[in-house]
Amino acid sequence: MSALLDSLVELIRRTSAEIPDDVNAALVRSLEEERQGTIAASALKIIERNIELAKRKSQPICQDTGSIIFYVDVPVGYDQIAFEEVARAAVTAATRKGYLRQNSVDSITGANDGTNVGPGSPVVHFHQHRSPEVAARLVLKGGGCENVGAQYSLPLEKLHANRDLDGCRRVILDAVLQAQGKGCGPGILGVCLGGDRATGYEFSKQQFLRRLDDRNPDPRLDALEQDILKTANELGIGPMGFGGKTTLLGVKICAANRLPASFFVSVSYMCWAYRRQGVTLGADSAITGWLY
Amino acid sequence: MIPLTAPFTEETIRQLKVGDEVAITGVVFTGRDAVHKYLHEGGELPPGVNLRDGLIYHCGPVMMKEPDGSWRCTAAGPTTSIREEPYQAHIIGAFGVRGVIGKGGMGERTLAACREHGCVYLHGVGGAAQVLAECVRKVRNVYFLEKFGSPEAIWELEVENFPAVVTMDSHGGSLHREVYAASQAALSARLETPAGA
């Protein structure tokens, strides 16, 4: 299994050190839109230099290398137990190499054993498909942006949010307002309308696997995505919450069925340091291609 | 960019205003959640750590140990400061801190402590771990490494031209309060518009 170990360590390295092209393009556009000489423009220039430095030095873009979340598509009959064991070994090896910070703490004792492996870390979501290919995607999501995520239960009277798309819009924009710069904006929203409390958040995070420049195939959700993006960027929160034109780089929304009694809107916030990459693996578990 | 060299006098800090871009040089001690809670509960600073007239940096860096036992800082951006809001005002007063470096801004209690004691909040660029690690010229020491683990330990760093923005000053000014109020008003105006109007 050492080829798989090497492939996953390389996936972790590249995810931690390199911003995907679609995100980089959006950041470059946002810098062009900010007024020169403002502190928002200064912040974006530092961000651009940081992206270049991290890639060149093969070091983490952000010191908070985040929750380690794998999404793995596997053929029928693939040994998921073995994959998960190797993924844990790869996380420990990547931590030793400094691609990941010693970032996982025992919630009862506060101890940090320095391996990044423990209950719930890393997270591995498997999905079977009818292709012979294995595709492993990785998201590293920092704590600052995770902390500004929010789950709303509709109706919510204080925001005049009813159980309809307008109510969804109101609570999503409230999440942007409350986040201000604390989630390291300009940010990206992943949203799930409906579902239960757990799947709502889970599906909201899966939206981060979408490319920033894609469009939602559902015209109702597409319209909501475009509206939230435009409105959020009119609020003047700006990069780092310094004030400015770019508050969000993208909005991705999905819907899941709900119970008649429940209507959750789950909002996950991704920081500008949007660490997401993926690989396809051949029969020998070597990397055959990059997905972003 | 206003050059700022630690340690500071109260006068230097009182001259700073919200919106000033600064470049910090000197010794910085990191301290985040575990350290703030510990100090707030009456814990003592370890010998060698002196915050008086100096800087505390909300940061959990990535540190690599070199073969000769020294440390190399490979990533060192700020962490979200608002988590320290329950503790920060006490720590500014009790330990004589003149500058708090972090990101995301802090609340009214910290702002009041900045005004009372002569301290400022210096906002680094969140996520810019490489640019900021390049400003770390030397890792001088580490304290509480075993007790709190690497990200939560107190790291003593020598920094040079570390870029930051004054977002809370010692005169009651807060960029975070201003931006929140303006964005809240902008959102209310947009939500009052009937759908499709």
Side-chain angles (χ1 to χ4, degrees):
Chain A
M1 288 306 261
S2 93
L4 180 58
L5 181 75
D6 292 347
S7 296
L8 294 183
V9 170
E10 175 59 8
L11 172 61
I12 295 167
R13 183 198 68 77
R14 192 156 169 194
T15 310
S16 177
E18 297 182 21
I19 286 279
D21 290 343
D22 57 322
V23 181
N24 196 49
L27 280 166
V28 169
R29 269 199 308 279
S30 70
L31 178 58
E32 286 163 2
E33 281 166 23
E34 290 298 338
R35 210 152 44 80
Q36 290 306 301
T38 58
I39 54 175
S42 293
L44 283 168
K45 278 182 200 154
I46 289 176
I47 286 171
E48 278 205 315
R49 213 173 104 224
N50 193 74
I51 289 170
E52 187 272 320
L53 261 179
K55 184 174 180 178
R56 181 153 55 78
K57 298 175 89 169
S58 232
Q59 289 182 174
I61 293 163
C62 174
Q63 77 290 336
D64 186 355
T65 53
S67 298
I68 303 159
I69 313 167
F70 287 98
Y71 298 90
V72 192
D73 298 328
V74 296
V76 176
Y78 187 83
D79 188 342
Q80 300 180 2
I81 296 169
F83 184 99
E84 196 157 345
E85 282 170 2
V86 176
R88 290 160 87 90
V91 163
T92 300
T95 308
R96 251 194 326 267
K97 288 170 179 282
Y99 305 151
L100 299 174
R101 183 173 68 179
Q102 297 177 2
N103 215 28
S104 186
V105 176
D106 182 313
S107 294
I108 302 167
T109 65
N112 183 340
D113 73 6
T115 66
N116 270 326
V117 170
S121 178
V123 176
V124 187
H125 295 287
F126 288 105
H127 171 247
Q128 271 193 354
H129 61 181
R130 295 214 178 273
S131 152
E133 190 176 74
V134 175
R137 290 176 174 80
L138 173 62
V139 173
L140 300 175
K141 189 168 186 300
C145 65
E146 183 67 0
N147 287 350
V148 299
Q151 189 166 62
Y152 296 85
S153 178
L154 302 182
L156 189 54
E157 210 173 354
K158 70 171 181 177
L159 296 178
H160 310 292
N162 294 305
R163 292 182 149 200
D164 51 29
L165 284 181
D166 179 66
C168 294
R169 173 177 186 259
R170 285 170 182 269
V171 297
I172 296 166
L173 286 166
D174 183 66
V176 176
L177 175 70
Q178 300 310 329
Q180 292 286 303
K182 291 191 279 290
C184 282
I188 300 89
L189 298 187
V191 181
C192 177
L193 313 181
D196 64 24
R197 286 193 185 273
T199 56
Y201 267 134
E202 188 185 323
F203 291 174
S204 74
K205 284 206 175 73
Q206 282 178 19
Q207 292 300 299
F208 297 133
L209 300 176
R210 290 173 54 189
R211 289 181 54 93
L212 267 189
D213 49 12
D214 76 357
R215 292 294 289 259
N216 199 310
D218 183 316
R220 298 159 301 179
L221 295 178
D222 183 62
L224 188 58
E225 289 179 0
Q226 301 307 317
D227 171 72
I228 300 273
L229 181 62
K230 177 174 176 290
T231 309
N233 285 335
E234 290 168 356
L235 300 184
I237 296 168
M240 290 295 130
F242 284 172
K245 292 181 179 168
T246 317
T247 297
L248 294 181
L249 297 175
V251 180
K252 304 292 167 189
I253 305 177
C254 68
N257 277 15
R258 60 180 177 83
L259 299 179
S262 301
F263 199 144
F264 297 111
V265 178
S266 308
V267 182
S268 287
Y269 190 107
M270 178 64 91
C271 54
W272 70 259
Y274 186 161
R275 286 151 292 167
R276 171 254 279 144
Q277 223 354 309
V279 289
T280 50
L281 301 174
D284 59 356
S285 292
I287 294 171
T288 51
W290 292 89
L291 295 167
Y292 297 100
Chain B
M1 283 267 191
I2 300 170
L4 276 187
T5 303
F8 310 112
T9 62
E10 180 169 354
E11 192 193 354
T12 306
I13 294 302
R14 294 276 181 201
Q15 283 169 1
L16 296 170
K17 299 280 186 306
V18 163
D20 286 346
E21 293 188 69
V22 301
I24 303 157
T25 298
V27 173
V28 170
F29 292 96
T30 69
R32 46 178 295 170
D33 307 73
V35 168
H36 280 75
K37 178 170 178 288
Y38 164 84
L39 293 177
H40 188 254
E41 288 172 351
E44 290 185 8
L45 286 174
V49 179
N50 181 12
L51 299 176
R52 191 153 299 279
D53 295 326
L55 292 155
I56 191 162
Y57 180 19
H58 298 157
C59 172
V62 180
M63 292 289 188
M64 304 298 288
K65 198 162 197 172
E66 302 284 36
D68 67 358
S70 66
W71 294 94
R72 182 164 53 93
C73 179
T74 61
T79 190
T80 312
S81 300
I82 194 68
R83 296 192 307 273
E84 317 316 337
E85 182 64 11
Y87 320 115
Q88 197 70 65
H90 165 75
I91 288 167
I92 288 170
F95 297 96
V97 178
R98 291 272 175 233
V100 175
I101 310 174
K103 73 162 173 88
M106 301 190 74
E108 293 299 324
R109 273 174 292 172
T110 300
L111 189 62
C114 285
R115 195 212 292 252
E116 184 182 346
H117 301 288
C119 179
V120 286
Y121 180 80
L122 300 156
H123 199 303
V125 173
Q130 290 308 317
V131 169
L132 300 177
E134 287 230 319
C135 300
V136 176
R137 293 294 169 213
K138 191 177 175 195
V139 181
R140 288 173 34 150
N141 214 333
V142 58
Y143 311 85
F144 294 153
L145 181 59
E146 290 300 313
K147 188 182 174 78
F148 295 140
S150 175
E152 297 269 6
I154 297 178
W155 295 92
E156 182 179 349
L157 312 174
E158 263 179 47
V159 305
E160 191 177 315
N161 292 324
F162 182 107
V165 179
V166 177
T167 58
M168 294 162 62
D169 63 26
S170 63
H171 307 284
S174 166
L175 179 67
H176 308 289
R177 197 175 49 200
E178 286 171 28
V179 171
Y180 185 85
S183 55
Q184 188 177 39
L187 180 56
S188 304
R190 277 154 185 82
L191 290 180
E192 275 162 16
T193 312

